[in-house]
Each structure stands twice: as structure tokens, then as C-alpha cells.
Amino acid sequence: MAMLLLLAGCGVDSIRDDAQRLVRAGQYEKALERYREGLVRYPENVVLRSGLLSAEESAIARLLHEADTARSRGEDQRAEESVRRVLQLRGSDSRASALLLDIERERRQRAALGNARELLEKGFVERAGLVVEAALKDEPRNVELLALQRKLELDAKQAELDSIKLSESRPISLDFRDANLRTVLEVITRNSGVNFVIDKDMRSDMRTTIFLRQSRLDETLELLTSTNQLGYKVIDNTTVLIYPRTPDKIKEYQELVVRAFYLTNADVKQTAQLLRSMLKVREPFVDEKLNMIMIRETAQTVRLAERMIALQDLPEAEVMMEVEVLEVKRSSLTELGIKYPDALTLSPIPPRGADGFTLGNINSLNRNSIGIGLPDVTLSMHRDVGDVNILANPKIRARNREKAKILIGDKLPVITTTGNAANSGFISESVQYVDVGLKLDVEPNIHLDDEVAIKVGLEVSSLVREVKTASGSLVYQIGTRTASTVLRLRDGETQLLAGLISNEERMSANRVPGLGDMPLIGRLFSTQRDDGQRTEIVLSVTPRIVRNIRRPDLHQTEFWSGTENDARSRPLAGLTQHKGGVRQNDAAPSGNAADRAAGVAQPSAVAGPGASSSTPGDAPQPLKLALSAPDEVAVGEMLDVQVSIDSAVPVRGMPLQLRFPERLLQIVDADAGEFLGQGGAVSKTKTLDQAQGMAAIAVLRNAADGVTGKGSIARFRFKALAPGAPQVMLEAAKAVGPSLPPLALPAPVTIKVR
């Protein structure tokens, strides 16, 4: 029997070792089959049964980990194979089933992404947008689809801006005196190719007088309509609608834009009040939960609202208050001298055998029957010296005009007992706490010149002694010193507040009358106690500005807002100076003087197709992008890839997309550069997809105007993973702004990773 047990044990160990070796080799199916064969031979063996369960859990965990790793690398086929192996081992595993559905969903979305890009290349923008929208319904958080949707939205916005402008850009000249308005429009149509549609309620006998030289067509239309109580609406690049500027016609023809503003720092109610009072907008919708305000107004009013909100929605200034409180406490106690008894006690002793004195035995009192009690004579030689320094160095960060409080100390309980006169057995106690220690209140006011006005309140309190009431309750005597002041300090300047000094000197003496008052030898007949305490508090305050509001430039704080009845983001065309340097309303009328006196219109003065175009300075300069990165980095180091711009025309925003080798570089972050942030805040969205080797960022100015010049559009931060020569390429870029020239992508950059 022992031999059989020994052989059975050797067989079980051999089966278990073989199965574990197969598990380590990744042959999970064979390992489980080996365990099952062993259980057929040894059905009651606990080692094989537990080994089977453990091997099954280990195999499933490893396969699911392999599937997740393959998904992160974009190897869907390998991930699917690992998941299907899990389902073969355990067909009802919920994690594997969910992971298989995710892989299939990603495959569908990847196919939809490729289909959308093909449609974009063929020019089918709307169909591409529908494909992206349908794919996002399946997985709303897909980063690549969201980036493509953002790009499509920016392109659509740019196309919308271009579509509402007239295609005719050549300057025209007009010379009409008391001419019929319809005749003037007919002449403009013949010479510029712009068609006019006139509302049926516009009077046919309207007359106008206009003299212009080298004026833009849109400015000319603004002058014609505004001076005749008319309005116009651009239908497309070559068609304009003219209508009477009456309230009913304005409601009928004037296009309105819905715009939602998500505020970051400003109070949404104050912003709504600002728009109502300054722009007379219709009742805006306010969502305090999202800190969002939504308006429905004309495009010009919305642009003005953008600029006003950009000036108001600024981050609160913050300051770091470095406070040092030093409390120096010195104490000295000296007790020196001889303390003599100050009282003598005489006690009569009754005669022997008597319990006390009577009138009969009182005459027996003599010096032998009177006891005396003599107190001790004490020699005092005692001195205590104390030196205590208490230092508190708190640092507290506070917002502008917000109170910050610091308490370093204890809370003493004060018990209040309440009784009922009608019911003497009812007693209730309530506990209140009193703050004892160092209490500091600061309220900073940060100015735009990097100076901080600080309202400081300091209170130092300590427990002096405990006092017991007649009812047995304890009350406390608390000593308090307070100081309050207002300072104005520069950023980083330190101010000391000292002089809170408490100096207490106490002297008490116990002397023998007469002898103790004698000079010199009087100290032999007295004892003296000298108690001195000196406390000084020194407060040091140093403000360090963490963030301050930058004073906006003049071109941001002052801008045109139109008239009382017509809000517009630029001045009336007839009051602006033309780029050629001649004021339009100062241009001398042409034609025969007699004809002008007679009021004859001069249609030949209108610039025709053969007229010269705008001045040479009006041609927009091309945009130039540049990609820069360090030449060489080591493995594990961080590196920045910067996209720079050189633009002579206003640019309001730009979406960018980079491609990089994901095995050599790891994307860490993407942030906006300083170029678009000139004079205002920007909105940005970014997408970082390490598995696909893609990084994208879209930057848009909150202000309605663009900026020019040179600077950095965006910065991408990478980490070098492995040696090699990775190449970073700017795959896509689109400038946002009115009438922008084509944009050429820069050459890729190569980085050596050692």
C-alpha cells in the first residue's frame, strides 16, 4: 500500500510539473488538458483540482493582458486571437466578450475614419461629416473621429465666412448727384457683375447723391443703404438684397446667430447684465450650473459680445502669502531671603486630671502650663529663568479680494450650565469653544502694477489662568493682543511688523517689622520674590504674486461698436480712411461741372471691368509655417517640437495634426503657443493618440479679430523611448480667418535619439 501511495504521489507531481511548464510556455490549452487527463486518473486529488483552477485563471488573465497590449499598439488581429482563446477556455467569460465587442467597434470606427478621409480627398465634405457623425454615435469618445469632426467644423466655419462676402474686390468710383437709387444700383451691376434684388416695399422714387473714389464695393453699399434708411443682405458672392430698414423688414431679413459662451472665470449673471446694458441684446439664457450664457443676435453683435466677454472673462489674480510669526517670551523668577514666622500661637494646658479650665483651676496657669507653637524659619534661595521662542511660518494662497484665515493654537471648551427653576432636578450643559493661540486674517488686493495691498489682522491670545466658580464650573481668563493694519507691498517685498511687547514686572517681600526695613542688614530679616515676564511678537509678511491680470492693450479695450440703433464691429464705411490714403467723402467729383450742377448722373465714372484693381499693398502675403526640434537627445529625455508661424495677414485660429513614430517617441502633452494669445485668451482642444502616432491641437482666439506677425502656434512635448532617428511630420494645418491665402506645410524634422 505504501508503494502504491508513493507511485501515485510521483505521478501527480509529474503531471503538475508538466502543466506548469506548458503554462510558462504560453501553451495554456495543452496545460489545462494535461490537468484534466490527470484528474481522470486521480479524480479525488486535491492538488490537481486546485492546479486546474489556478492555471485556468492565470491563462485567462495573461491572455486578456496580451489582448490589451495588442490593442494599445493597434494590432487588432492579434488582440482578437487572444480574446478568442479566452472564450475557448471559458465560453462565458464576460470580460472577454466585452473586449471582443470593443475590438469590433474600433474596427468599424477605423473603417469609418478611412472612409471619411477618402470622401474628403474627393471633395465630398458633407458626406464625410455624416460618416463621422454616425461613427461617433457608436463611440462618442473616439479621439481620431473627434479630431476629424473638429477639423470639419473649422473648415465649414471658414467656408461660411468666405461665402458671405462679395466676390468683387476691385475698387469702384461713383459720381451721382440727386440720381434715382435704382439707376445707381443698375450701373453698379453692369460694371461689377453684382446682382441686386430689391424688396417690393422699397419706394421707386428714392434719390441719392454720392461721390466716391476708389472705394470698396461693400463699403459703398453700406453708405448707400445707411444714408437712405435701407438695409442690405448678402445672399451669395454675387447677389445682394436691398430692403427698407423698418422693424418688420429687419425681423424678416436680418440673419441671427446663436452663440453659447462657456465662461471660465467671470460670473455668468454679471456677464448677462453687461451684454444687456452695453449691447441691448435680447434676454440671454443663463445657465449657472454650467456657467454658460447663450444669445441670439446678429453676427456683428455676436462679434462685439465676443470681445467684451474676452475682456471680462479673465482669471482671478492670486497671491501666495508667506507669513512668519515669531513670539519671543522671556521669564525670570527670583526668590531670596529668610522667611521668619509672622505669627505666634499660645495654647493653655489644663491641669492634670481636668478636662478643661474652670473658675477654680484657672489660677493654676503659669509658664509651665502654657504651650507655645513656633513656626519654621525658612531660608529661600530660588531662581527660575525661561526663554521661549515660538515660530510659525504658514504659507497661504489667496484670491484677489478674498479673505484668508490662519489659526495656530487650541480650542478651549467653555461649559455653560442651564437649570430650570420649576424643576430643580433638570440641568443641561452646553459646550462652546474659544480659539486660543495665533489667529491671522489677511485680505489681499492685487493691483495691475504688481503691487499688493494687504489688510492684516493679527490676534495672539493665551490662557492666563483657570477660575472655578461657586457651582464648580471652570472658566478661563484669556490674555489677548491684537493688531490690524493695511500695507501696500511690491511683489516679493518683505514687511516686518514689530513692537507688540508685553513687559510685566512684579515684586513682593515678606519682612520682619522694623528689622526688615533697615538698609543692608534688612535682607537678613526678609524674603523677596521678583517675577518678570517679557513677551514680544514679530510679524513678517511677504506677498508673491502667483497670477495677475495683464492690462489689455488699447486696441483690445477700445473698439468700434456702431450706432445706437445699429451695432457693428467696424466704423461706417464713409467715415473710414481708404488704404490708399484718400478719404472717401473728400474725393472730388468728376465729370462736367455743368452736368453736376444740373444733377445728371455720371455712370461712366463707375469702375468697369477694365479698371485697375486694388492698390499693390492690398495683396495678402502668404503664410509660412516652420517646424523645429532639437537635433539630438538621449533616451528618456524630454524634447519639444514647435510649430512657428510668420503671417502678414490676420489669423484667428489654426488646427494642427502631427505624425510621429510611436515606437521611438511618446507624446506627453500639447499646448498652445504665444502667437494666438496676443492680447486675449484662446480656446484649445487637443487629441493625443500614442497608439496611432498622432497628436492634434486646435487653437482659436476668443476675440473676433486675428493677429499678425511671428511666433509659436503650438508646442508638442515628447519623450524619447528608444534609439533611432524618428521623423516628426506636420500632417495637416488649416488657418482660420477671412480671405486667407493657401497654406504650405513645412518639411518634416528628424531627431537623433542616442
Side-chain angles (χ1 to χ4, degrees), residues 158-173:
Q158 181 63 39
E160 181 182 347
L161 291 174
D162 295 338
S163 65
I164 60 175
K165 293 190 175 183
L166 296 174
S167 59
E168 180 61 53
S169 60
R170 295 172 300 173
I172 64 173
S173 298

Side-chain angles (χ1 to χ4, degrees), residues 329-333 383-389 532-534:
K329 185 175 182 180
R330 294 183 175 90
S331 61
S332 175
L333 175 62
R383 178 173 175 81
D384 286 339
V385 177
D387 192 352
V388 180
N389 293 333
Q533 292 188 359
R534 177 185 174 88

Side-chain angles (χ1 to χ4, degrees), residues 16-75:
R16 183 187 60 187
D17 293 341
D18 291 344
Q20 291 178 351
R21 177 178 53 80
L22 292 172
V23 169
R24 289 193 295 269
Q27 302 178 15
Y28 308 118
E29 295 83 359
K30 292 183 179 181
L32 297 181
E33 185 63 27
R34 182 64 174 148
Y35 272 120
R36 293 190 182 98
E37 290 176 357
L39 286 173
V40 172
R41 294 174 56 187
Y42 309 103
E44 302 298 331
N45 191 278
V46 179
V47 175
L48 294 180
R49 193 171 298 277
S50 62
L52 175 62
L53 296 176
S54 177
E56 184 178 353
E57 291 296 333
S58 177
I60 291 175
R62 292 185 182 186
L63 288 173
L64 290 178
H65 178 71
E66 291 177 3
D68 288 333
T69 304
R71 281 185 64 200
S72 64
R73 295 175 180 174
E75 301 174 356

Side-chain angles (χ1 to χ4, degrees), residues 74 108 173 358 384 387 399 523 628 652 715 752:
R108 291 195 304 269
S173 298
T358 64
D384 286 339
D387 192 352
R399 293 173 58 183
R523 294 302 299 267
S628 60
R652 189 185 173 206
R715 294 184 182 90
K752 182 180 178 181

Side-chain angles (χ1 to χ4, degrees), residues 454-475:
I454 309 171
K455 185 183 294 184
V456 181
L458 175 65
E459 178 181 337
V460 180
S461 57
S462 61
L463 177 62
V464 177
R465 64 190 180 97
E466 297 179 352
V467 180
K468 182 174 289 188
T469 63
S471 61
S473 301
L474 284 178
V475 295

Side-chain angles (χ1 to χ4, degrees), residues 118-135:
E118 290 180 3
L119 292 173
L120 280 178
E121 292 177 358
K122 295 178 181 179
F124 302 123
V125 179
E126 294 184 2
R127 290 177 59 185
L130 293 175
V131 170
V132 172
E133 184 178 353

